Amino acid sequence: MNRGGMAVVHTPHEGPEYAARSTIPPSLKLTEAESRQYAELGCVVKESVLDPEFVKELQAETDRLLADAAGLTPSTASDRFSGTAFGYDFEPDHSPTARVPRVRRVTRPDVRSAAFDRLKRDDRVLGLARTLLGTNDIRMGNFKLNVKASHGGAAIQWHQDWAYYPHTNDSLLAIGIFIDDMTPDNGPLQVFPGTHRGRVFSHHHPTRGFFCGGFRIEDTELAGKVPLKLTGPAGSLSFHHARSVHGSDWNNSGTDRRVVFLEVAAADAWPLTNALLHTVDIASLQEMMLCGSYSGQVRMESCPIRLPLPASPVQGTLYQIQEQMETVSFSGKAVEKKAPLRKSHL
């Protein structure tokens, strides 16, 4: 939530509904220092939230979903899953004849996996989100499995999620659920601390004017500043505010890096674009509720907003939209190592 330009971490609602859903053990709840870190930096990591057995199940399901992409092209994948929310986004060098498919994203893995469907409603995950958002009423915005294969998994250029889908208030965050260990060298998420309290940067093409989904840090006041790397063992969770500037470099390591992002919002945050839903209406929003309920009330707050218009001439995933950028920060070369952000990095 933003009041007068300052990020505020809500105090969770008290009452029987919240108590009934707060079933996570005290050791997995956010500490005061972790809540303060999120408020001040716009990001936090909570290590080893998921139990090892569930992590192994998610890893096996990830392997299965990626193996199922063998033999597919972008066109045949689109045809096969037409009419569903599920989809594959392939690396540019993907070949349907390759032994290992080059997938960079699986959209809505919960559609074809019971394990991922359970994950998006896991109380250990949602309980922490309820604490940071300060409400029991949480709606899913998107659910996507991002894959960085070893030795070259694609980068995600600097951006703010808020630029893609502004709402009537900024009680939105993204939860990164680490399927594999997230190390400083395998392309972890990087966040510029405190940017959730600042301006919304232009994500538009500098000469052609359309929304291209990212920007170069080198062209802004953030040039020369050091981002934090969000790292931790498999089963850990990262949280970053929708207005935080973030991105991730190519995976130049010898190990894969797979993370699923669950993007959530307070139910009273009304989307100002249809970036997350094909149709913005009450029925669609109700279907996306993960916990609590939607009362029909909308909360309006003063937040900086840049609409993602004119739209990109290429519609698709973030990767495909960012391919329209004129110049980029992450070019594929190894970059200087940054200090990793662990669970109590203040």
Side-chain angles (χ1 to χ4, degrees), residues 21-269:
R21 287 189 166 87
S22 297
T23 58
I24 59 175
S27 62
L28 295 183
K29 294 182 179 180
L30 290 171
T31 65
E32 182 179 344
E34 290 166 338
S35 294
R36 186 171 65 251
Q37 177 178 299
Y38 180 81
E40 295 175 356
L41 303 185
C43 59
V44 68
V45 173
K46 187 71 173 178
E47 291 192 354
S48 304
V49 173
L50 303 182
D51 57 273
E53 292 75 17
F54 193 24
V55 171
K56 290 180 180 177
E57 184 181 5
L58 292 171
Q59 290 172 339
E61 282 294 275
T62 299
D63 291 342
R64 179 183 66 81
L65 291 173
L66 296 180
D68 286 349
L72 295 177
T73 66
S75 178
T76 57
S78 178
D79 291 342
R80 176 175 295 186
F81 303 111
S82 177
T84 75
F86 182 86
Y88 289 110
D89 184 5
F90 296 100
E91 298 272 13
D93 61 352
H94 168 75
S95 170
T97 61
R99 183 177 61 86
V100 179
R102 295 283 290 176
V103 176
R104 59 188 177 185
R105 172 172 290 178
V106 179
T107 303
R108 292 297 303 272
D110 54 306
V111 172
R112 297 189 63 231
S113 168
F116 279 104
D117 188 58
R118 297 201 314 274
L119 176 63
K120 74 182 184 187
R121 300 182 186 279
D122 192 295
D123 198 58
R124 292 167 294 187
V125 176
L126 295 181
L128 296 171
R130 286 194 295 267
T131 297
L132 293 176
L133 292 176
T135 179
N136 301 311
D137 307 321
I138 294 179
R139 183 182 69 247
M140 183 176 78
N142 201 0
F143 195 41
K144 56 201 179 186
L145 173 62
N146 285 359
V147 179
K148 287 184 188 284
S150 61
H151 305 298
I156 292 181
Q157 303 300 325
W158 297 112
H159 67 284
Q160 295 162 294
D161 295 338
W162 186 249
Y164 284 78
Y165 44 79
H167 284 59
T168 57
N169 65 71
D170 66 354
S171 292
L172 293 86
L173 58 82
I175 309 165
I177 303 158
F178 301 177
I179 305 300
D180 302 311
D181 293 345
M182 193 82 76
T183 73
D185 301 314
N186 66 359
L189 185 71
Q190 301 182 50
V191 176
F192 278 91
T195 50
H196 65 305
R197 295 177 171 179
R199 68 186 180 102
V200 179
F201 291 87
S202 173
H203 292 57
H204 288 69
H205 194 282
T207 59
R208 299 177 62 190
F210 61 78
F211 183 76
C212 61
F215 62 94
R216 275 172 38 90
I217 287 296
E218 295 82 357
D219 300 330
T220 74
E221 65 270 22
L222 297 176
K225 295 187 177 181
V226 179
L228 298 171
K229 288 189 173 183
L230 277 56
T231 63
S236 301
L237 307 183
S238 68
F239 299 83
H240 69 268
H241 192 280
R243 286 170 53 190
S244 293
V245 173
H246 62 286
S248 59
D249 202 355
W250 296 76
N251 180 2
N252 294 302
S253 77
T255 59
D256 292 344
R257 189 233 71 174
R258 303 170 301 179
V259 56
V260 62
F261 284 101
L262 176 61
E263 297 168 345
V264 298
D268 61 4

Side-chain angles (χ1 to χ4, degrees), residues 139 281-290 292-296:
R139 183 182 69 247
D281 57 28
I282 294 293
S284 299
L285 295 177
Q286 290 282 19
E287 289 176 1
M288 301 294 275
M289 291 297 297
L290 294 176
S293 60
Y294 177 56
S295 66

Side-chain angles (χ1 to χ4, degrees), residues 12-22 136:
H13 297 314
E14 299 296 336
E17 183 181 12
Y18 185 83
R21 287 189 166 87
S22 297
N136 301 311

